[in-house]
Amino acid sequence: MKEAKPRVYFATKNRGKFLEAARVADSFKISLKHLKFEKQEIQAWNLTEIASHAAFQAAKVTNKNVVAEDAGFFVRALNGFPGPYSSYVFKTLGLEGILRLMRNVGNREAYFQAAVAYCKPSHRPVCFTGIVKGRVARHKRGTQGFGYDPIFIPSGGDERTFAEMGTDEKNLNSHRAKAFARFCRWFLGRSHGVSSETS
Ligand code: ITT
């Protein structure tokens, strides 16, 4: 008889995040299910704290084994802005607003960071992070992905933005893929005493 894949619920309202994460989980033979859940955002500068709080709440409310993620886009010349406020800034200033702030700026370094927290009901959350470095494009390019993808050029690539890549290619290098891969390795190995990793 075929062994059932372990199942984990991803509490997110962002379908783009879910599709990317599900592809990573699938490569580890973990079944990731979409739990359409409005995560309770606490005011914090720390993605790990926000993701852990969200996972704890979602596990409590749904009584399921849950992962939640908090991610942000950090621009060096803007002292890390929008960072943890990325979701709000995307809806208000938008990509054009960020490009305007960066119009005459030479240093265009930026990075994405993701924190993925796993929580079982009545347990403490465990968190995993991932980063991808790159820079802010001069103009929007590409139609794939979501959020800041059209203005982010990852380092070490061929100058395309994330929005000019498909999910599998973005996943080779993305903050989310790294954080989820760390979670998956831990999840599969936890019965052998493997602990959490971050970077
Ligand atoms: P959930 O909280 O429901 O998971 P969200 O979209 O609100 O979904 P966040 O609070 O983590 O997610 O907000 C992060 C924002 O940062 C997100 O809305 C995007 O605008 C941006 N972002 C995060 N990861 C991204 C990625 O891989 N590509 C482009 N933009 C990204």
Side-chain angles (χ1 to χ4, degrees):
M1 205 170 70
K2 225 168 111 186
E3 215 175 292
K5 286 186 190 173
R7 179 180 300 172
V8 178
Y9 291 84
F10 185 8
T12 180
K13 60 183 184 312
N14 184 325
R15 186 164 163 75
K17 278 185 173 187
F18 172 72
L19 293 174
E20 291 175 15
R23 209 68 81 87
V24 177
D26 195 52
S27 71
F28 285 88
K29 301 200 169 12
I30 294 171
S31 164
L32 198 66
K33 299 283 176 197
H34 194 177
L35 190 63
K36 295 189 184 90
F37 187 86
E38 182 84 37
K39 86 178 187 233
Q40 238 185 29
E41 297 250 356
I42 51 166
Q43 279 303 316
W45 180 246
N46 186 319
L47 300 183
T48 298
E49 231 180 285
I50 300 171
S52 299
H53 180 81
F56 184 81
Q57 287 300 330
K60 187 172 160 185
V61 170
T62 62
N63 204 33
K64 293 184 191 308
N65 297 344
V66 164
V67 280
E69 185 213 84
D70 199 56
F73 181 56
F74 297 77
V75 180
R76 182 187 271 272
L78 305 178
N79 292 327
F81 182 81
Y85 310 110
S86 294
S87 188
Y88 178 73
V89 170
F90 181 73
K91 288 183 220 142
T92 50
L93 283 183
L95 300 183
E96 297 300 345
I98 296 286
L99 289 177
R100 255 195 314 276
L101 289 175
M102 293 295 288
R103 191 174 288 153
N104 295 313
V105 178
N107 181 349
R108 307 191 69 84
E109 281 172 54
Y111 66 91
F112 275 117
Q113 183 169 15
V116 171
Y118 170 74
C119 195
K120 281 167 71 150
S122 308
H123 283 66
R124 284 158 63 112
V126 188
C127 204
F128 306 84
T129 62
I131 284 183
V132 55
K133 291 184 182 168
R135 59 179 215 281
V136 182
R138 298 263 167 204
H139 308 281
K140 292 193 283 184
R141 275 191 275 123
T143 54
Q144 303 183 76
F146 64 94
Y148 297 85
D149 283 343
I151 62 165
F152 181 73
I153 303 170
S155 299
D158 57 6
E159 298 299 303
R160 280 177 302 152
T161 64
F162 264 169
E164 294 178 293
M165 301 176 187
T167 303
D168 287 336
E169 197 178 354
K170 180 178 172 187
N171 270 356
L172 291 176
N173 194 17
S174 85
H175 52 309
R176 176 162 304 104
K178 288 173 189 164
F180 269 93
R182 287 183 172 130
F183 158 66
C184 290
R185 277 195 290 274
W186 170 83
F187 184 80
L188 295 177
R190 75 203 150 124
S191 54
H192 309 296
V194 178
S195 62
S196 68
E197 307 170 43
T198 57
S199 87

